Amino acid sequence: MERESVSMWELSFVVPPNHETLDFKFLLKPKYNNNAPCLVEEGPNRQLTGGTLRGDARSALFRLNGNEVLEYQVFVEAVRVSPFDLAASWRAYQENLQPSTVRGIPDVSINSVPDNSPENGSSATLELDLEHYVVPAPAKSLIYAANMTETPRSLTRSGVFSNSKGSSNVSQSYKDGGVISDQPVALKELEVMVPDPSKVYSVSGIVESKSVGTSTLLQKQDGHRGLFVDRGVGSPMLDKSASAMTVSVDLEQDSETKNAMPAAAGAVAAAAVADQMLGPKEDRHLAIVLVGLPARGKTFTAAKLTRYLRWLGHDTKHFNVGKYRRLKHGANLAADFFRCDNPEGMEARNEVAAIAMDDMIAWMQEGGQVGIFDATNSTRERRNMLMKMAEGKCKIIFLETLCNDRRIIERNIRLKIQQSPDYEEETDFEAGYRDFKMRLENYEKVYEPVEEGSYIKMIDMVSGQGGQIQVNNISGYLPGRIVFFLVNTHLTPRPILLTRHGESRDNVRGRIGGDSGLSDTGEIYAKKLANFVEKRLKNERAASIWTSTLQRTILTANSIVGFPKVQWRALDEINAGVCDGMTYGEIKKNMPEEYESRQKDKLRYRYPRGESYLDVIQRLEPVIIELERQRAPVVVISHQAVLRALYAYFADRPLKEIPHIEMPLHTIIEIQMGVTGVEEKRYKLMD
């Protein structure tokens, strides 16, 4: 009760719109004696139906000791409030007031009509505080993107950073004003040794491919080179292939050794075959060289592109020159180090760029496919140096990020000061801010936009509010996919919610595939999910719900109202082929060879007349592109194998881990996408 005036009290309580008739009486509790019993209102019970009090309005009468009677006037006013306003007011109430109880019963209750369905007779509604349902996500803290890039190849403890040309000693100025001359700075005596590219062993010749749909060059008995396409682990077509018996490996390689062919299926594999057979040698390796001023989103764009290409099956690594610079010269460098009229600083920065490029080319010669070279590369001279180093070894495409929105640049600068290792030891934010602004001015003085070679220009694309993209001399399948991805990506923060359908009847029976309806437990989850979505996306009316075309996901989404729903065939569960509707026990008993093949390699195993996980990834690419393009929240209700593949994309998990990712029923995984990267939160609505 809340006191309105000396003589009037107001009682507010909340009931759901679908409540049955509420039968109640008012209780009067003594103010100073907590142990005294409550007084029950005289007269018949009151009944509230649909927000209206039945019967004639009457005063509330409470009989005290003897014949003394207290009388209170009662006014009933029913106000309809949305679930969103209710959630906000309930949270504010919990934070600011101490909930009171009478006879152990809360004054305010949000529970709906009791549900006697399975789940121990509990209700299908949710508590309004969604934090109640949060469960730990896989341990992964938010890490500065540049720190997750490739580490220099060889580290020793001799105290200097060197390559085949020797290491130059540089006079460096530090933010504290001191100068250290002729003394290379490294992290606890680390030396980076860069191998001579001419001596790096090149993986050529005959390599066995274990990837679905990829090609392998074979040395046939008649001496002619042939082409073998792996049709899937455990596939009958593979077992019957005569040429499969001639596969040989003329190098001693372990199972983790990389090869020039991506672990992929479908269009990616077909393009790899064409590139391998028809493309120039240097086109088999692609270097995406970032260009742009600091605080333009280069590292974030590079990280997203790396994640996308890895997920498709391309062997991709991200090389950040800033990380190399920090390893050799330390992180606590003042803006003067980046001045164009500082020859020592220019030489030092060009040196670490050359070492990083050498590392990337050496990795490609060992079988790597796509290298992302992340640095400002702001002058034509620097870019010419890189092109000369790459000549005959890999194809270079420059990716320039341009931003003219001062608001976005300012936001990026502040994030840089907060997250970059360059300012980790700077305790004064404003001092770090001024230093970075000076560094930025030094780069702006010499910046030369890209006009040479093959390039992609992203102009004001990061805002998600338009912008343009320019391409020059871009051809080939993979460069085309990269352009298409970049056209659709942006930094607008928004959540993506991933959840499996509610428990199905086939889940209860342990059968895979099928198109069964929901179990009783699954129907309860559908209602709880609807409540969750309404509360979580209360201010996101542009959100949408995506399901597969199978009825168990459609039925799970049925209770969600107020949002458009889209059915995607691409979101259907992995096709189990002839095994559809069977249990794993039945497969093991009746198809032991298939069962064993799947156990050995779940990623590449393809069900007879069905799909593999690699096939699922290929059909999910349009879904990923559309999720990247969306600027509003999306709820994806799908299936275990499909959600494993989608989650692996956002979490940047290796392909080999996808079949083993835990994806429990009745749990929501919230992926928050934004300028700081990808964050994850999990809600478990039911056991």
Side-chain angles (χ1 to χ4, degrees):
M1 276 188 160
E2 182 180 349
R3 191 157 196 165
E4 288 289 301
S5 65
V6 174
S7 59
M8 181 177 295
W9 292 71
E10 181 185 66
L11 171 64
S12 298
F13 59 96
V14 180
V15 291
N18 62 337
H19 72 85
E20 295 180 350
T21 298
L22 184 63
D23 195 84
F24 69 98
K25 281 187 175 184
F26 290 118
L27 301 176
L28 187 65
K29 182 179 180 181
K31 183 175 182 180
Y32 300 108
N33 187 356
N34 291 329
N35 296 322
C38 294
L39 300 177
V40 182
E41 177 189 8
E42 295 285 308
N45 289 353
R46 298 177 184 269
Q47 293 183 328
L48 184 74
T49 304
T52 302
L53 199 62
R54 288 186 176 181
D56 297 332
R58 56 186 173 88
S59 299
L61 302 178
F62 297 94
R63 187 175 299 279
L64 303 180
N65 296 331
N67 294 322
E68 185 178 359
V69 176
L70 294 179
E71 180 178 353
Y72 294 91
Q73 285 188 305
V74 175
F75 301 93
V76 176
E77 180 182 7
V79 180
R80 289 187 175 272
V81 295
S82 71
F84 318 124
D85 294 337
L86 183 58
S89 62
W90 174 245
R91 176 167 291 186
Y93 171 76
Q94 285 190 315
E95 291 174 352
N96 299 308
L97 296 175
Q98 196 66 268
S100 61
T101 60
V102 177
R103 295 179 181 172
I105 302 173
D107 286 347
V108 181
S109 176
I110 311 299
N111 289 337
S112 180
V113 183
D115 191 333
N116 295 322
S117 57
E119 206 206 1
N120 301 324
S122 64
S123 167
T125 59
L126 294 180
E127 293 186 14
L128 287 178
D129 188 356
L130 299 183
E131 298 300 316
H132 174 78
Y133 298 93
V134 173
V135 294
K140 182 182 179 182
S141 59
L142 196 61
I143 303 173
Y144 183 58
N147 284 350
M148 301 176 66
T149 58
E150 187 65 12
T151 300
R153 299 172 63 85
S154 302
L155 295 176
T156 65
R157 297 186 179 275
S158 60
V160 295
F161 192 125
S162 65
N163 62 6
S164 57
K165 298 178 182 178
S167 177
S168 60
N169 294 325
V170 183
S171 298
Q172 301 162 26
S173 57
Y174 290 82
K175 296 171 189 171
D176 59 7
V179 177
I180 302 178
S181 300
D182 301 328
Q183 190 172 5
V185 181
L187 294 180
K188 295 185 179 179
E189 300 184 339
L190 293 180
E191 178 185 11
V192 179
M193 302 297 296
V194 180
D196 185 343
S198 64
K199 297 180 181 178
V200 173
Y201 189 78
S202 176
V203 179
S204 59
I206 306 166
V207 178
E208 180 182 6
S209 170
K210 293 293 186 182
S211 303
V212 176
T214 61
S215 65
T216 305
L217 293 175
L218 300 178
Q219 191 71 36
K220 292 188 176 179
Q221 293 179 353
D222 57 6
H224 297 289
R225 297 184 71 82
L227 185 67
F228 169 65
V229 178
D230 180 353
R231 302 184 184 278
V233 176
S235 165
M237 298 187 69
L238 175 63
D239 295 337
K240 296 177 182 178
S241 171
S243 62
M245 303 304 295
T246 67
V247 176
S248 62
V249 181
D250 61 356
L251 305 174
E252 291 187 5
Q253 300 174 314
D254 59 32
S255 60
E256 296 297 320
T257 301
K258 308 295 182 185
N259 58 63
M261 306 302 297
V268 172
V273 171
D275 290 346
Q276 184 83 355
M277 299 300 296
L278 304 175
K281 181 180 178 181
E282 61 269 20
D283 285 3
R284 300 175 193 172
H285 306 293
L286 183 61
I288 305 297
V289 177
L290 274 292
V291 178
L293 291 168
R296 263 55 175 187
K298 295 186 302 301
T299 297
F300 183 77
T301 301
K304 289 192 75 169
L305 184 56
T306 301
R307 178 160 49 90
Y308 170 69
L309 294 175
R310 282 175 178 166
W311 182 78
L312 283 180
H314 300 286
D315 191 5
T316 306
K317 283 190 177 181
H318 180 183
F319 295 80
N320 180 268
V321 175
K323 186 173 184 178
Y324 280 70
R325 168 179 54 78
R326 284 185 285 272
L327 279 173
K328 178 173 183 181
H329 301 292
N332 192 30
L333 295 173
D336 287 347
F337 179 80
F338 302 91
R339 283 167 40 195
C340 57
D341 58 352
N342 178 355
E344 292 86 1
M346 290 284 289
E347 181 182 355
R349 287 187 286 131
N350 284 333
E351 180 192 23
V352 292
I355 294 174
M357 190 68 175
D358 273 340
D359 270 7
M360 188 171 75
I361 292 173
W363 167 74
M364 286 179 174
Q365 290 178 323
E366 294 172 349
Q369 188 180 7
V370 184
I372 312 290
F373 190 81
D374 180 11
T376 55
N377 300 314
S378 54
T379 64
R380 192 171 290 109
E381 180 183 3
R382 164 72 72 83
R383 297 192 293 268
N384 287 338
M385 178 191 79
L386 299 177
M387 286 193 289
K388 187 174 181 180
M389 295 178 68
E391 190 173 349
K393 300 171 184 174
C394 64
K395 178 180 180 178
I396 281 187
I397 295 178
F398 292 112
L399 174 56
E400 185 176 17
T401 59
L402 300 170
C403 180
N404 300 304
D405 189 327
R406 304 309 304 179
R407 179 182 55 84
I408 293 178
I409 295 172
E410 180 69 18
R411 178 195 66 190
N412 290 349
I413 290 174
R414 293 186 173 275
L415 284 173
K416 191 90 171 179
I417 306 304
Q418 294 169 1
Q419 298 180 357
S420 173
D422 285 348
Y423 295 94
E424 191 173 21
E425 298 178 9
E426 180 60 75
T427 57
D428 185 345
F429 179 87
E430 292 303 322
Y433 178 84
R434 289 191 298 270
D435 179 84
F436 188 84
K437 292 283 283 187
M438 291 174 60
R439 181 194 299 193
L440 184 55
E441 290 173 3
N442 291 332
Y443 277 106
E444 289 173 338
K445 291 175 183 177
V446 296
Y447 188 79
E448 297 173 297
V450 175
E451 296 176 350
E452 66 275 11
S454 300
Y455 63 76
I456 304 167
K457 285 179 182 276
M458 297 177 64
I459 305 172
D460 293 328
M461 294 285 291
V462 296
S463 66
Q465 303 297 325
Q468 59 179 300
I469 191 164
Q470 299 176 1
V471 298
N472 181 65
N473 194 25
I474 299 295
S475 62
Y477 174 80
L478 187 53
R481 299 311 301 167
I482 289 172
V483 171
F484 186 60
F485 175 76
L486 294 174
V487 166
N488 289 284
T489 190
H490 56 87
L491 305 184
T492 305
R494 75 278 190 198
I496 294 172
L497 307 178
L498 307 177
T499 184
R500 289 176 66 183
H501 54 80
E503 182 188 65
S504 69
R505 290 195 288 271
D506 276 344
N507 287 145
V508 176
R509 302 183 189 107
R511 300 194 176 278
I512 64 175
D515 192 19
S516 68
L518 299 179
S519 67
D520 291 341
T521 302
E523 290 177 357
I524 295 175
Y525 177 70
K527 295 176 183 177
K528 289 198 169 189
L529 177 63
N531 289 335
F532 178 93
V533 171
E534 290 172 4
K535 295 172 178 66
R536 175 63 185 85
L537 304 181
K538 57 186 176 183
N539 298 319
E540 303 283 359
R541 306 318 298 173
S544 56
I545 314 298
W546 296 1
T547 71
S548 73
T549 62
L550 300 176
Q551 66 169 332
R552 54 190 181 273
T553 64
I554 297 171
L555 292 173
T556 302
N558 266 355
S559 299
I560 303 174
V561 295
F563 300 98
K565 298 172 185 174
V566 182
Q567 294 179 18
W568 286 70
R569 187 170 293 278
L571 291 174
D572 285 2
E573 179 61 298
I574 187 171
N575 184 354
V578 300
C579 299
D580 190 75
M582 299 174 68
T583 66
Y584 288 118
E586 290 170 345
I587 296 173
K588 184 176 182 180
K589 178 181 178 181
N590 300 319
M591 307 171 70
E593 292 182 0
E594 293 295 332
Y595 183 85
E596 288 300 321
S597 295
R598 180 177 178 274
Q599 292 299 110
K600 290 177 181 178
D601 191 349
K602 290 185 179 180
L603 176 67
R604 295 171 177 83
Y605 172 78
R606 181 180 288 140
Y607 286 101
R609 301 181 187 177
E611 289 182 303
S612 68
Y613 270 94
L614 291 177
D615 295 325
V616 171
I617 289 171
Q618 290 307 303
R619 68 167 155 97
L620 283 176
E621 187 191 9
V623 178
I624 288 295
I625 294 295
E626 190 58 28
L627 285 173
E628 287 286 357
R629 194 184 70 83
Q630 291 285 320
R631 288 167 173 78
V634 177
V635 180
V636 180
I637 304 173
S638 189
H639 309 268
Q640 179 169 250
V642 171
L643 292 176
R644 280 171 169 167
L646 290 178
Y647 175 80
Y649 169 77
F650 293 111
D652 196 16
R653 298 280 288 272
L655 289 179
K656 64 183 180 181
E657 293 183 9
I658 289 179
H660 310 286
I661 293 174
E662 184 182 3
M663 198 58 57
L665 283 168
H666 308 151
T667 301
I668 298 168
I669 301 176
E670 178 177 326
I671 304 293
Q672 187 69 42
M673 301 176 65
V675 294
T676 57
V678 176
E679 300 179 70
E680 176 185 347
K681 196 172 189 178
R682 295 196 177 200
Y683 303 87
K684 189 170 183 63
L685 304 190
M686 294 171 57
D687 293 327

